[in-house]
Amino acid sequence: TFDDYDDIVRDIDFKADQTFADLFVEILKSVGFDTRHKGTFFLADHKWRKGALIGEMHGEQASTLRKTELVDHIDDPHQKFLFSYDEEAKWNFNIELIRVMADAEYKVTYPKLAASAG
């Protein structure tokens, strides 16, 4: 969800071995944004307070997020992350793990936009 707009929601399916760089691209694609600005990921607690920095990415530039798997930062079945994009516009996204699937669906390409509202 967007920080200020709870009625805008995207459900995106990922495989556990996918990276935060994959998440960066898929979130922006799902809301129609380009990837030319810097995006930063943080851990968050259950009250959406910013925690430790996971990393940042700027477009196609090299980033440690390309090697940082999502599963490396999932300690809770409802793990929360914060994603800030475009320092001037200050777009903030609240990201919450909804479920972990045992196996990927047969012949499905991930990441996959599963649901969209707003």
Side-chain angles (χ1 to χ4, degrees), residues 42-113:
F42 298 91
L43 290 173
D45 68 12
H46 288 288
K47 294 184 180 183
W48 295 108
R49 291 181 295 218
K50 188 185 293 183
L53 172 70
I54 296 170
E56 55 187 42
M57 187 165 173
H58 195 150
E60 297 299 318
Q61 294 179 357
S63 169
T64 58
L65 292 182
R66 293 189 187 285
K67 295 180 181 177
T68 306
E69 292 183 358
L70 298 171
V71 71
D72 293 340
H73 292 281
I74 296 174
D75 298 325
D76 182 311
H78 295 282
Q79 183 69 53
K80 291 180 171 55
F81 303 103
L82 298 174
F83 173 56
S84 296
Y85 183 68
D86 188 351
E87 293 175 339
E88 287 185 33
K90 296 184 181 177
W91 292 107
N92 295 302
F93 299 82
N94 298 331
I95 303 166
E96 181 176 6
L97 177 67
I98 297 186
R99 67 183 170 162
V100 176
M101 298 180 349
D103 294 311
E105 292 181 36
Y106 181 66
K107 291 190 176 185
V108 172
T109 302
Y110 292 92
K112 175 184 93 169
L113 182 62

